[in-house]
Amino acid sequence: MKATRRSIQAVLRWLRRQPPKIKAFLAVVSGLVALVFLRMVVHDHDNLFVAAEVVHSIGISVLIYKLMKEKTCAGLSLKSQELTAIFLAVRLYCSFVMEYDIHTLLDSATLLTTLWVIYTIRFNLRSSYMENKDNFAIYYLVIPCAVLALCIHPRTRHFIVNRICWAFCVYLESISVLPQLRVMQNTKIVEPFTANYVFALGVARFLGCAHWVLQVLDTRGRLLTALGYGLWPLMVLLSEIVQTFILADFCYYYVKSVLGGQLVLRLPSGVV
């Protein structure tokens, strides 16, 4: 066991010495290897999307446990939770008026727990909220997503407002974690529960991205035309990829910290 840990640490030290371009290349290769593995192991790739929702729910559960046990919301971004509630609420609306399935139930549960987290931070644990660190202006995210949704949205037969809402929640979800990353960038030290929550988001985003990529490969591109025409199919895939890469750097340092036996994650400058 010790020999295995020493080998892992040696690999991590080697990775740390590599230039950014090599690290980026290795990250892409690792992602492709993971996609190939999932394609071989998971036969019904729709299960990956369900798995992504389940992992997100687990992350929220870790967050709730932190709030209830430690009675503090230090290190958490209220703005990220509010953005999550916004895109979940919009996506639920779209699910009810456009397509109702298992994802609707999962989103409902996640929205309820997210609203509970928001209420707890705003009222019960307000004194421990690091408002000065949570300084990402969310209108810088909401407004561009709304404008982009007006310009690029599905070209299906659904009502135009519903199609714009669908696009809006896709775009907003892809960047909703940015305020949380800003908080961690400002503090540089991330306690275990928050780190576990953000890592769960990273895993969920990768599973969601893998679902779309593998579905496109399995249908030989027919899924793209099923989503509509124009730039919309490309934007869906791009949004999934953006979500994954936004959290990739954090996930690397998280895994490195866990393998090194560190309970508290310390982020170097410029990580997130």
Side-chain angles (χ1 to χ4, degrees), residues 16-61:
R16 192 162 52 245
R17 294 193 300 268
Q18 302 309 306
K21 289 184 179 180
I22 298 298
K23 290 180 180 178
F25 172 76
L26 292 174
V28 172
V29 171
S30 300
L32 292 175
V33 170
L35 282 175
V36 172
F37 175 77
L38 288 175
R39 190 175 190 184
M40 294 173 59
V41 173
V42 182
H43 300 293
D44 186 355
H45 296 144
D46 277 335
N47 292 333
L48 291 175
F49 199 85
V50 176
E53 295 284 344
V54 171
V55 172
H56 188 179
S57 299
I58 292 173
I60 291 289
S61 300

Side-chain angles (χ1 to χ4, degrees), residues 13-120:
R13 285 195 297 270
W14 177 82
L15 283 173
R16 192 162 52 245
R17 294 193 300 268
Q18 302 309 306
K21 289 184 179 180
I22 298 298
K23 290 180 180 178
F25 172 76
L26 292 174
V28 172
V29 171
S30 300
L32 292 175
V33 170
L35 282 175
V36 172
F37 175 77
L38 288 175
R39 190 175 190 184
M40 294 173 59
V41 173
V42 182
H43 300 293
D44 186 355
H45 296 144
D46 277 335
N47 292 333
L48 291 175
F49 199 85
V50 176
E53 295 284 344
V54 171
V55 172
H56 188 179
S57 299
I58 292 173
I60 291 289
S61 300
V62 169
L63 208 56
I64 291 175
Y65 182 77
K66 165 191 166 66
L67 297 175
M68 295 181 65
K69 179 184 179 183
E70 300 190 350
K71 304 298 181 182
T72 176
C73 61
L76 293 180
S77 169
L78 174 62
K79 294 179 180 179
S80 266
Q81 297 303 314
E82 290 172 341
L83 290 174
T84 299
I86 290 172
F87 82 71
L88 283 172
V90 175
R91 193 160 72 188
L92 267 177
Y93 163 77
C94 293
S95 294
F96 281 118
V97 299
M98 298 173 72
E99 52 178 0
Y100 186 93
D101 52 24
I102 183 63
H103 307 308
T104 307
L105 297 177
L106 292 172
D107 280 344
S108 299
T110 306
L111 177 59
L112 289 175
T113 52
T114 301
L115 291 174
W116 184 89
V117 169
I118 292 173
Y119 177 84
T120 302

Side-chain angles (χ1 to χ4, degrees), residues 31 65 83 85 137 168 174 186 212 223 251:
Y65 182 77
L83 290 174
F168 173 73
S174 67
N186 290 336
W212 285 109
L223 177 64
C251 289

Side-chain angles (χ1 to χ4, degrees), residues 170-233:
V170 169
Y171 299 145
L172 188 61
E173 180 183 13
S174 67
I175 55 176
S176 60
V177 75
L178 287 179
Q180 179 63 61
L181 296 181
R182 172 64 70 84
V183 171
M184 295 189 299
Q185 184 184 53
N186 290 336
T187 58
K188 291 295 186 295
I189 298 177
V190 188
E191 55 80 37
F193 287 114
T194 303
N196 292 338
Y197 164 67
V198 178
F199 180 71
L201 291 184
V203 174
R205 295 287 69 79
F206 175 75
L207 290 173
C209 182
H211 163 262
W212 285 109
V213 172
L214 294 179
Q215 287 284 72
V216 170
L217 292 176
D218 289 345
T219 60
R220 299 183 183 276
R222 290 192 301 274
L223 177 64
L224 295 178
T225 57
L227 291 174
Y229 297 95
L231 292 175
W232 168 245

Side-chain angles (χ1 to χ4, degrees), residues 202-266:
V203 174
R205 295 287 69 79
F206 175 75
L207 290 173
C209 182
H211 163 262
W212 285 109
V213 172
L214 294 179
Q215 287 284 72
V216 170
L217 292 176
D218 289 345
T219 60
R220 299 183 183 276
R222 290 192 301 274
L223 177 64
L224 295 178
T225 57
L227 291 174
Y229 297 95
L231 292 175
W232 168 245
L234 179 62
M235 292 302 294
V236 172
L237 287 177
L238 184 60
S239 296
E240 294 290 340
I241 293 172
V242 165
Q243 292 181 71
T244 303
F245 275 94
I246 283 177
L247 288 163
D249 207 15
F250 172 84
C251 289
Y252 164 75
Y253 284 98
Y254 175 89
V255 172
K256 176 185 171 183
S257 178
V258 171
L259 293 176
Q262 300 177 16
L263 295 178
V264 177
L265 178 60
R266 299 179 183 273

